[in-house]
Every structure is written in C-alpha cells, then in structure tokens.
Amino acid sequence: MDIKIEKLEDNKIKADVTVTAKEVDEVINKTYKDVARQYSFPGFRKGKAPRPVIDNAIGRESVLASATEDLINTTYPKVVEDQKLFPVASPDFGDPGMAEPGKDFSFSFELDVKPELELSSYEPVEVELPFAEATEAEIDSQVEQLASHYKSYENAAAATKLKDGMAADINIKTTKADGEEVTSLTSESMLFNPGSGLYSEAFDKEILGIKKGEERTFTLSVPEDETAMLMADLAGQEITVVVTCNVVKKEDTPKVTDEWVKETLGYDSVSALRDEIKESLTQQKASIIPQIKENACAAELVSRVEGDVPEAMAEQTESQLIQDFFGQLQRAGLSFDAYLAQQGMDSAEFKEDVKRQAQDEAKRELALDAWARNKGIEATDEDVTLEFERAGLDDPKKTEREWRNSGRLYLIREGIVRSKAMEDVMETAKVTEVDFAVKDAKDEK
C-alpha cells in the first residue's frame, strides 16, 4: 500500500492511496466467495458457483462495486493507523471508481483532522489551592452554618420594615384573572422569606419593605418560563395578590456556647465540636483537592490556547457529550423532560449549554495536545497494550486488534497522551495555598 498525505486548509488533509493488485485480487476473490455462499444458484451447491454464473445472475459490476467498498472500508483504518491521523469527522471519498482484477487500485479521500493549536506559554502554570488542613476560618464558617440550621424567628418591633434576611407572617389572598382563587398562595398566616426561591423576584420586590398592619395589593404577569416553586404552575397567567403583614420577624441564630453544643449537638464543648469539624474537613479536602488542582491547572492551560476550536471538532465533542448524557439518564431511570424540569431549563437552553460544554472540553483537549507536543509526550505501543489490559476485558489482545483494524486505536492513544500531559502539568505547577474562607469574607465586604 502506497500512501501520500497532502495538507489542505482548515485542518483538512487529502490522502492518495494505492492498493496493490495482489490485495485487490484477494478482496475480489473473497467477495465472490461470499456471494456464492449467500445466494443459491441452480445446479451448484452453496459456495461452489463459479464467477461467470455469479456475473450472469447478479452482474459483474455489482460484485466489483461491493468488493471496492469492502476494499476502501478495510484500507481506510490502516491509513489512519499508519499515518497516525486523528480524525474529527467522517472522511469524504468522493467518487472512488471501481477496483478491477489484476490491477492496482487508487483512491483518495479528504478528512478533517485534529488541529495543532499552540499555547501562548509553556511555562509551568500557577494556581491557587486550599490548604490541605482545615483552617480556622473554614471551621468558623462551618460552625456558623451549623448554628444557622437551628435559627428561629422572633417578632420585630411594629415599625420594622421587611428586609432581606428577615421574614414576615402574612395574610395573603391570590386570585387569577377570572377570579379563581390560587390556594397555594392563599392563607391567613404564611411565613414569607424573601429570596427563598419559592416566589419570583418580582413577587418578593412587591412585599419587601412592608411593616406590621400594612396592606398591599398588586398584579403580576407570571412569565412563561417561571421556575419559582410556588408560581411555576401559574406560568403565562396574570394574578392579583392582596397581602396584609401580620408581623415582621427577625432571625435569631443561637450563640454557639459549650452549653448549647452539649444540649443540642451532644458534644462536650465547642472545642470538641471544632475538633470534629476540623478532622472531617481535612478528610474531605484530601479527596477533593486533587480534582480541584486538575481543574485549576486545566483552566489556566486553556486560557493560553491560541486559536479557535474547529467546528467539526466541536460538533464531534458535542455529539459525544449528548450520547454520554442520555446514557446516564437511562441508567438513572430519568426522562429527559423530568431532567429539564429539575434543572429549570427548556430544550433550547439545554442545547446551548451542551454547545458551551463542547467548546470548553474541545479547547481543554487541544491545550493538552499542545503541551504534550511541546514536552515530547507520546503514547507507546506498550502504553496502548497496557490500557487494554487494565480494562479487565476477557481477551484484551483480541480487542486491541479489533480497534486497530477498525481505525479507532488513535482514540486510545489520544487519551493516554492527554492523561500524561495532565499529569505533567500538575506535577510542574506552581501552587500557592490560599485560605479561601478568609478571601471570600474579604470579597463580600
């Protein structure tokens, strides 16, 4: 087999392939044998009909067309493997012509291949990571969150106006445009928490600032895409709401003392509680920091990519993401509509989200490819074989041959190279440990 590769524009290549007459004859002979076994020809046992009989019954061109297709389908994967190509779309064979017995056969194809983008820098990435051990600020935050679970509400002074972080006991009556009462939003005494997500932002805005004894009446047009829990069923409708504030309430979060900790949580002291939290947080960090580091390193690497992701590669990545997603849905026993409802999105938003993910994932892959090229990172034949052995297959050698013959081995090689590149990026990264609890608190101020 003779192969010539020509680079075209837009990450395309053209391959000119010539298959020897010997290989052509082998495929044609096999095709005739397959036809003889597949069909019954009068006067001949199955598999024994000679070529003239087959040509007369089926047509010589039909047999040669089938042989040509088989020849191309078996040769293309060999070209991909031999030339170490990385396809990102299906090949375009154009009009390949017809193979003839006793003659070499030449055909060409054009193929979108993975681009070789570069990074603006190949210096070690610099990332910020949490301290491996739980910090005092992180423990403080956990203690505060724990105490907030036991918060209660106390009546505020009559002149107190409702603000974020407060609550109000309200008398509420809600009706639709036709006068029908909305039972889920009608009550003589309902605890209202602005910003809870139970009501829309527009609903919250109408009630904020209310004080004890004050009455407010307002009309809202609920949008078609409303997702607030108590208002989603009213999407696209107009409602009228009459609210009277029974009382404004202030949050009362308990003070974390030795006595409260002992009575409520069963710890001997605040110190014992903090020790428990510290141990738990440190264990959690040990399991998640490696992934945090990988994500941070990858994000920094992606920011250095020069150039855009080709459309064909983005589409291929998008297709794989959708395939994986629906596989996960099926295993979870969840319908697509149920998933959209859980996420509060429609199908159009889902598609846009997948497109963004595909762009991000493809850019990450190209960034790792660039790093690997620059650092001379490769996947050896031994690496590939080991990958199949690790997969726990019944016959890893057979599976590897099948992948090689089908022209898919580049996928394994690609994955190995990117994995090695990611390991190298992480090993050489310059890490600064940061107390994010303190940093976040400063940012809030």
Side-chain angles (χ1 to χ4, degrees):
M1 183 172 60
D2 181 62
I3 306 168
K4 293 181 180 178
I5 302 293
E6 177 187 355
K7 288 188 177 182
L8 306 177
E9 294 182 350
D10 299 325
N11 304 303
K12 289 180 178 287
I13 61 98
K14 180 184 178 184
D16 295 312
V17 185
T18 299
V19 183
T20 65
K22 180 182 178 182
E23 293 173 283
V24 172
D25 287 344
E26 288 174 354
V27 173
I28 292 176
N29 290 339
K30 179 181 179 299
T31 304
Y32 271 106
K33 289 179 180 179
D34 290 342
V35 171
R37 284 192 294 267
Q38 187 175 358
Y39 299 99
S40 295
F41 296 92
F44 297 93
R45 286 180 297 154
K46 268 202 171 184
K48 299 298 181 180
R51 287 192 182 188
V53 172
I54 294 174
D55 289 344
N56 186 56
I58 295 178
R60 181 173 183 272
E61 284 196 358
S62 177
V63 178
L64 293 181
S66 179
T68 302
E69 182 179 359
D70 190 30
L71 186 64
I72 291 173
N73 288 340
T74 55
T75 302
Y76 167 73
K78 296 176 183 177
V79 175
V80 170
E81 180 63 22
D82 181 81
Q83 298 296 309
K84 299 292 187 289
L85 301 177
F86 292 90
V88 295
S90 299
D92 179 7
F93 292 102
D95 182 7
M98 189 91 74
E100 293 283 348
K103 296 181 180 179
D104 292 347
F105 174 65
S106 297
F107 68 95
S108 301
F109 64 84
E110 291 188 5
L111 180 67
D112 287 291
V113 294
K114 180 181 67 179
E116 294 188 350
L117 301 186
E118 294 295 337
L119 304 181
S120 58
S121 170
Y122 291 92
E123 292 298 313
V125 299
E126 298 181 15
V127 296
E128 294 182 344
L129 296 179
F131 284 94
E133 188 173 277
T135 66
E136 290 300 307
E138 290 170 337
I139 297 171
D140 289 342
S141 177
Q142 289 291 306
V143 171
E144 289 173 9
Q145 288 182 39
L146 183 60
S148 71
H149 289 305
Y150 294 88
K151 68 184 177 183
S152 57
Y153 291 96
E154 291 186 351
N155 292 350
T160 303
K161 294 183 177 181
L162 178 64
K163 299 177 182 179
D164 286 327
M166 295 181 175
D169 185 301
I170 59 175
N171 181 313
I172 180 172
K173 182 177 181 179
T174 306
T175 54
K176 298 179 182 179
D178 60 3
E180 180 187 350
E181 187 177 89
V182 181
T183 56
S184 61
L185 288 174
T186 298
S187 175
E188 292 183 359
S189 177
M190 176 186 287
L191 189 65
F192 172 75
N193 296 84
S196 65
L198 294 176
Y199 320 88
S200 68
E201 290 184 10
F203 190 98
D204 287 356
K205 187 177 180 181
E206 292 288 346
I207 301 181
L208 280 169
I210 200 170
K211 62 183 179 180
K212 183 177 180 179
E214 183 180 349
E215 180 181 299
R216 292 185 181 181
T217 301
F218 54 90
T219 300
L220 291 177
S221 295
V222 183
E224 293 286 353
D225 59 352
E226 182 58 69
T227 58
M229 189 177 297
L230 293 180
M231 301 183 67
D233 290 341
L234 301 169
Q237 301 182 53
E238 186 174 276
I239 59 173
T240 298
V241 184
V242 180
V243 172
T244 301
C245 180
N246 297 325
V247 66
V248 173
K249 292 177 173 287
K250 290 183 177 181
E251 288 185 1
D252 180 31
T253 303
K255 292 182 178 180
V256 182
T257 63
D258 288 343
E259 183 180 358
W260 181 82
V261 164
K262 191 169 185 177
E263 290 179 356
T264 309
L265 304 176
Y267 289 90
D268 291 335
S269 63
V270 175
S271 178
L273 170 63
R274 292 177 68 87
D275 288 344
E276 178 74 18
I277 291 174
K278 180 177 183 178
E279 182 179 350
S280 176
L281 281 176
T282 301
Q283 289 177 353
Q284 291 176 35
K285 284 184 166 190
S287 62
I288 66 173
I289 284 180
Q291 187 60 55
I292 293 175
K293 182 177 182 180
E294 179 175 334
N295 291 341
C297 288
E300 173 60 25
L301 208 63
V302 166
S303 71
R304 300 180 180 184
V305 173
E306 297 181 329
D308 298 320
V309 176
E311 186 176 347
M313 185 175 182
E315 289 176 352
Q316 186 186 58
T317 305
E318 182 181 342
S319 177
Q320 186 61 52
L321 287 175
I322 291 174
Q323 183 179 330
D324 293 343
F325 167 77
F326 280 101
Q328 291 171 359
L329 273 191
Q330 187 175 24
R331 289 190 292 274
L334 193 66
S335 70
F336 182 52
D337 288 340
Y339 170 82
L340 291 179
Q342 282 184 2
Q343 300 300 314
M345 64 169 63
D346 57 29
S347 57
E349 291 171 324
F350 170 79
K351 290 178 182 177
E352 284 303 311
D353 186 52
V354 173
K355 283 185 179 296
R356 285 192 295 270
Q357 289 184 49
Q359 280 285 339
D360 292 343
E361 180 62 25
K363 210 157 193 177
R364 171 178 168 139
E365 291 172 350
L366 292 174
L368 290 171
D369 292 340
W371 186 273
R373 284 195 309 275
N374 183 267
K375 304 297 181 180
I377 297 171
E378 297 180 342
T380 65
D381 291 341
E382 291 76 12
D383 290 332
V384 172
T385 297
L386 184 60
E387 195 70 16
F388 281 97
E389 291 174 351
R390 286 173 175 168
L393 303 166
D394 292 335
D395 191 341
K397 290 183 179 179
K398 179 183 177 183
T399 305
E400 183 179 350
R401 284 196 302 273
E402 291 172 349
W403 277 64
R404 189 183 301 278
N405 292 338
S406 64
R408 293 183 296 158
L409 210 58
Y410 73 91
L411 294 170
I412 303 297
R413 194 181 302 111
E414 204 171 42
I416 293 170
V417 168
R418 288 169 181 165
S419 179
K420 284 184 175 184
M422 191 71 253
E423 289 176 5
D424 187 67
V425 172
M426 292 174 68
E427 286 176 3
T428 59
K430 294 180 179 179
V431 176
T432 301
E433 290 186 311
V434 175
D435 191 336
F436 285 98
V438 172
K439 186 177 181 180
D440 291 344
K442 289 180 179 179
D443 291 341
E444 287 177 4
K445 292 178 183 180

